[in-house]
Amino acid sequence: MEQFSNCIVDISYQQTGAATAVNTLGMREMQVLAYESRDKRFLLIKAPPASGKSRALMFIALDKLVNQGIKKVVVAVPEKSIGRSFKNTNLVNGGFFANWEVPPYFNLTDVKNEQDKKGRFKEFFLNSKAKVLVCAHATLRNATKELSDDTFNDTLLAIDEFHHTSADANSNLGDVVRRVMYHSSGHIIAMTGSYFRGDGIPVLRPEDEAKFFPITYNYYQQLNGYKYLKNLILGYHFYHGSYLDHIGEVLDTHKKTIVHIPSVNQRAATGLGKYQETADIMTVIGTLDHKDYNTGIYHLRTADGRMLKVADLVEDEQKERNMVQAYLQNIKDRDDVDIIIALGTAKEGFDWQWCEMCLTVGVRGSLTEVIQIIGRCTRDCEGKETARFVNMIAMPEAEQAEVKVAVNDFLKAITASLLMEQVMAPSWKFKTEKDDDEPHGDLAHTIVVEGLKPLSSAKTKTIVESQLDDLKAAILQDDMVVKALSGSTTAETITQHLIPKVIRDRYPDLNEGEVEEVRQRVLLDTIIKGNDIVDEKGNPISTITDDDDKPSEGNRLIKIANRFINIDKLSINLIDTINPFQRAYEVISKSVDAKTLKVIQDTIAEQKYDMTLEQAITLFKGPLKEYVAAHDGKVPSVDDPDPKVRELAIALQKIKNLKQRKLSGLEYEE
């Protein structure tokens, strides 16, 4: 279990302790950063799970209540279990001027107090003594439908996991945000671990987002500054058949683990139903000794005699589910629970500091979901040096009717793994020329690039400083980019045409000059983070230092495919000739067998072109045969400069793929 056969990323951190050290007010590094901007009306706090966003909100909210004229605070979380992150907290003992207190009557996430939540929400605004309310997103959406906009005057609305909002006109949560912004005097604090939606719809409209002051604290800052956790492993485990037949290969019962099973609509689902899948996983864990009917916790005896406590969050029966959630909300010791089995819960904001591993079955829908799940096991905790995220993904089967589904699964897995590696790597700063008059800062992570356009506006600075990873996620999940990366499209076409198109679609208010500024940073950041940094001898390094602890004059190189490039002599012209996401396909070729990889590559190549089977057959029977006869049996190439010849090559590939599917029993409808 210590080594995964399909492990993609293994990252080590320095354990500086900075991320968890507190100042005289009891604030950690990220919370200090956020508190410095507490006077802003609209704050967007983007920080990883477990970085302390909940307490940062408490500090800012209390200051707004005491010093900024705010009368009430409403905190909205995506699910009830996350409400425990905002429970009563003693902040005075740490040096702050007030404690965070939530009246039980207005804690609408308490599973023991479920009655008339919408009514209590409305009552909160009529009670002059009530200051703080905590509720679920659903309660906020439903209750505000019956309230006027001016209800939120002098109110701070804090929305946890803000990516649940949407710029879409039909988004109820997004509508609440716009009402508070434009039709009340209320303030908003938006908190999220990843400002990205899997459906591609923006979280906010550009004109709304421009009003928010961004606070960004990245994964690398957090993990590098932990005291105990020093290693993070991201693994992708590919399997044939049913995941239940293979889950024992990766489920280590010695580690505190959250298992996320697939939804019934996912390809990884077995068809047995979620309850049977949960029961089968418990059988893999051990034999049922007894169930505690006061807590809902199962006690399972492992094959080697250990007794494990297992929580079932897949169960839908309300009383049973509330009992288990109440138990989990009050765990205080490492031995209170060993394994949690969940479906749609225990992701965002779920606080279990002892969790060492997240085992997730099936491809997740977006980078946001992957980051949130990983965040369950990356909390700093004494005795926990290594955190693991393992994603079990089904390989294409010979009997599968829709190869396209499998191909899409693989591409999502590769996208998530590459982006997570980049999110968790150090941030590099790029300059146009060396300037000794400027403060040096972290010279080891500063690179001079010839021809780099300086950032000319606040918009591009915000994108580069706080949204670059989310932009890269959008690029890597764009259909045209994915197809181009897997085919014979030149690096110049990808870098100079397809990537700028995604940037324009995501940021329609940027002019062409600003698009180019962002494009250059996307390429530079992706290439530097996506490749090994080595010394002149080819040995992997993070930084090169001399005895004075300053960057040395030795060469720093990056390895791209089979060539080395000196990163101190980078130029934009050079960057444009490199496929920035080439490593994705290096990863996939190492992770799957040759037969499976061939299926994936052939299917992608075919999907890349808009040609019906009828068109392909017509070309095959006529012009294609004529071409082969005229060229002494040579078949046309998709790389030919003549578009008519390329069209013949595409037709030939489509016919070949059809023949292969028929031979393998994989034929499907067009």
Side-chain angles (χ1 to χ4, degrees), residues 41-42 70 152-156 180-181 184-188:
R41 184 182 171 197
F42 304 128
I70 290 296
F152 284 92
N153 284 343
D154 302 324
T155 296
L156 168 63
V180 174
M181 289 181 69
S184 81
S185 62
H187 292 205
I188 297 175

Side-chain angles (χ1 to χ4, degrees), residues 430-462:
F430 305 103
K431 298 169 60 176
T432 55
E433 61 182 11
K434 292 181 179 177
D435 186 350
D436 291 335
D437 294 332
E438 290 185 3
H440 289 304
D442 186 1
L443 286 178
H445 292 141
T446 300
I447 299 174
V448 177
V449 184
E450 181 183 348
L452 180 67
K453 292 176 70 70
L455 299 175
S456 63
S457 68
K459 291 182 291 187
T460 56
K461 288 179 182 176
T462 298

Side-chain angles (χ1 to χ4, degrees), residues 35 38 60-70 96-97:
Y35 192 69
R38 60 190 178 277
I60 297 172
L62 287 170
D63 185 84
K64 286 184 178 291
L65 283 170
V66 175
N67 300 317
Q68 299 183 41
I70 290 296
F96 201 60
F97 61 77

Side-chain angles (χ1 to χ4, degrees), residues 7 138 142 158 172 190 217 232 278 286 317 351 368 382 392 434 447 453 477 491 495 513 527 544 578 615 645 658:
C7 180
N142 295 330
N172 292 329
Y217 186 78
L232 174 62
T278 302
E317 200 279 317
D351 185 2
T368 294
E382 186 173 2
M392 293 185 69
K434 292 181 179 177
I447 299 174
K453 292 176 70 70
Q477 296 190 49
T495 61
I527 290 169
I544 300 176
I578 299 172
Q615 289 173 315
V645 177
L658 175 64

Side-chain angles (χ1 to χ4, degrees), residues 57 73-77 140 156-160 187-191:
L57 177 275
V73 175
V74 173
V75 181
V77 298
L140 175 67
L156 168 63
L157 174 60
I159 301 181
D160 196 19
H187 292 205
I188 297 175
I189 295 180
M191 298 176 288

Side-chain angles (χ1 to χ4, degrees), residues 536-608:
E536 56 274 331
K537 296 179 181 178
N539 299 315
I541 56 171
S542 56
T543 61
I544 300 176
T545 59
D546 58 23
D547 292 338
D548 294 326
D549 201 29
K550 297 178 181 178
S552 76
E553 298 303 320
N555 287 334
R556 294 178 298 173
L557 308 171
I558 52 174
K559 182 180 179 182
I560 300 174
N562 294 317
R563 57 176 168 155
F564 286 90
I565 294 174
N566 190 332
I567 63 176
D568 291 322
K569 296 180 181 178
L570 282 177
S571 71
I572 290 301
N573 291 336
L574 172 65
I575 294 300
D576 277 332
T577 65
I578 299 172
N579 181 340
F581 304 116
Q582 181 177 4
R583 188 166 173 273
Y585 292 91
E586 293 178 1
V587 170
I588 199 170
S589 63
K590 293 176 183 176
S591 302
V592 300
D593 56 43
K595 179 182 177 182
T596 303
L597 182 60
K598 186 68 168 64
V599 171
I600 294 170
Q601 290 175 331
D602 288 348
T603 305
I604 294 173
E606 179 184 324
Q607 290 177 339
K608 196 177 153 190

Side-chain angles (χ1 to χ4, degrees), residues 281-298:
I281 292 171
M282 287 194 185
T283 300
V284 172
I285 296 170
T287 304
L288 179 64
D289 184 271
H290 70 280
K291 178 181 178 181
D292 187 336
Y293 287 96
N294 293 315
T295 63
I297 299 298
Y298 291 86

